């Protein structure tokens, strides 16, 4: 099976479309417009940096961001590194975030500088969390570890802008250590009736679901999708994945839901 024509890993959606439509606008958010080629290159750079940080196959990496271009690059970069992405509701409070950090055993977390205060409480008692990646800042916020905590200070801060400024010249998928039985994502429930529950989806689950929905809807490459649902919600996430599967364009919105 040739992954260029028959994707069997979720990040093949992006790689295949970057091969077929490299200069096509894939993602629109506000005044930002990125092509498939650009998103593929940027996600490769993130994957390489995650590998340098020690993130390994099937490690969990949390994305704690509003609907944004950074969130889309992050999910594909995490997958290219062979890891599992965990997309969380950006309005989540510190207590639930702390629970998910412990429950998932996340090694890294990608977030925005505006969420530094929430992180200061949430990262207590999360001993496996080694790396924080900050978007939206030329300087990392003051280290958010609670200084009264007895936990060791093991977190390392990185700037998103620094990561994406690193040159990257490898081919399409230099990190393809995953197989289709590996987990691709863990989607956490809201926890409204108890603690959040992590729903695990392997690559083959996501590929089958995205392909089935896009086939049923008869999507074609000329389609433009307005995505107003949070990416932490399963169908909000699948709007991105389906569009990248068939080579469409996504207009990513957040003002309707936050």
């Amino acid at each position: 099976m040739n992954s260029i024509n028959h994707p069997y890993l979720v990040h093949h959606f992006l790689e295949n479309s970057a091969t077929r439509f490299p200069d096509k606008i894939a993602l629109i958010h506000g005044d930002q417009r990125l092509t498939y080629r650009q998103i593929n290159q940027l996600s490769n750079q993130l994957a390489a940096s995650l590998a340098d940080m020690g993130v390994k196959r099937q490690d969990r990496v949390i994305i704690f961001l509003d609907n944004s271009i950074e969130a889309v690059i992050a999910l594909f970069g995490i997958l290219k590194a062979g890891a599992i992405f965990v997309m969380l509701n950006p309005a989540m409070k510190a207590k639930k975030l702390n629970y998910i950090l412990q429950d998932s055993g996340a090694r890294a977390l990608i977030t925005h500088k505006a969420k530094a205060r929430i992180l200061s409480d949430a990262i207590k008692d999360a001993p496996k969390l080694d790396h924080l990646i900050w978007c939206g800042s030329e300087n990392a916020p003051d280290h958010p570890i609670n200084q009264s905590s007895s936990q060791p200070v093991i977190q390392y801060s990185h700037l998103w802008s620094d990561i994406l400024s690193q040159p990257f010249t490898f081919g399409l998928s230099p990190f393809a250590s995953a197989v289709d039985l590996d987990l691709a994502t863990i989607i956490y429930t809201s926890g409204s009736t108890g603690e959040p529950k992590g729903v695990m989806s392997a690559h083959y689950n996501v590929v089958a679901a995205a392909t089935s929905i896009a086939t049923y809807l008869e999507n074609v490459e000329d389609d433009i999708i307005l995505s107003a649902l949070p990416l932490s919600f399963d169908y909000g996430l699948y709007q991105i994945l389906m569009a990248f599967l068939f080579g469409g364009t996504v207009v990513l919105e957040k003002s309707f839901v936050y």
Side-chain angles (χ1 to χ4, degrees):
M1 178 181 293
N2 185 343
S3 67
I4 295 300
N5 298 312
H6 304 283
Y8 64 92
L9 299 174
V10 178
H11 48 283
H12 291 160
F13 296 178
L14 168 59
E15 294 174 353
N16 293 355
S17 290
T19 297
R20 296 169 60 210
F21 315 113
D23 298 318
K24 181 178 180 178
I25 298 298
L27 196 58
I28 299 171
H29 182 247
D31 59 359
Q32 295 178 285
R33 283 162 170 74
L34 267 69
T35 66
Y36 277 107
R37 188 204 310 271
Q38 289 173 313
I39 295 172
N40 194 49
Q41 180 179 359
L42 293 171
S43 62
N44 278 343
Q45 290 171 235
L46 175 60
S49 292
L50 290 172
D52 286 343
M53 293 174 199
V55 171
K56 297 179 174 58
R57 177 180 172 185
Q58 294 294 272
D59 279 346
R60 280 71 164 161
V61 180
I62 285 178
I63 304 170
F64 188 48
L65 292 167
D66 294 333
N67 282 11
S68 60
I69 284 176
E70 290 86 352
V72 176
I73 293 169
L75 78 88
F76 284 111
I78 292 164
L79 292 174
K80 283 171 178 278
I84 302 164
F85 74 88
V86 183
M87 188 80 70
L88 297 185
N89 185 337
M92 182 174 289
K93 303 301 183 184
K95 182 178 179 181
K96 283 187 179 179
L97 178 56
N98 174 260
Y99 173 83
I100 291 173
L101 283 169
Q102 294 187 56
D103 185 67
S104 67
R107 290 285 313 282
L109 185 148
I110 302 171
T111 190
H112 191 277
K113 65 175 183 178
K115 302 186 186 301
R117 181 169 295 181
I118 295 173
L119 263 291
S120 68
D121 292 325
I123 63 177
K124 294 183 293 185
D125 305 314
K128 292 187 178 181
L129 183 65
D130 293 327
H131 298 277
L132 300 174
I133 299 174
W134 298 99
C135 302
S137 178
E138 294 182 358
N139 298 291
D142 291 339
H143 205 291
I145 191 71
N146 188 322
Q147 297 300 322
S148 64
S149 171
S150 62
Q151 296 296 319
V153 180
I154 58 172
Q155 286 81 12
Y156 300 94
S157 288
H158 312 268
L159 294 180
W160 178 266
S161 56
D162 288 345
I163 288 173
L164 297 193
S165 66
Q166 299 300 315
F168 185 86
T169 57
F170 293 100
L172 272 180
S173 187
F175 315 104
S177 59
V179 297
D180 62 350
L181 294 175
D182 284 349
L183 291 184
T185 185
I186 301 173
I187 299 176
Y188 275 87
T189 62
S190 63
S192 57
T193 58
E195 298 292 2
K197 306 295 191 299
V199 180
M200 300 181 290
S201 293
H203 280 268
Y204 77 90
N205 296 131
V206 178
V207 170
T211 302
S212 177
I213 298 169
T215 300
Y216 176 78
L217 295 176
E218 299 182 348
N219 288 122
V220 295
E221 62 197 53
D222 292 332
D223 286 348
I224 300 174
I225 296 176
L226 174 61
S227 180
L229 294 170
L231 300 185
S232 56
F233 180 58
D234 55 358
Y235 197 70
L237 174 63
Y238 271 90
Q239 287 182 319
I240 297 291
L241 298 178
M242 289 187 302
F244 279 57
L245 170 64
F246 61 78
T249 297
V250 179
V251 180
L252 193 58
E253 181 57 68
K254 70 174 184 178
S255 61
F256 299 149
V257 291
Y258 304 130

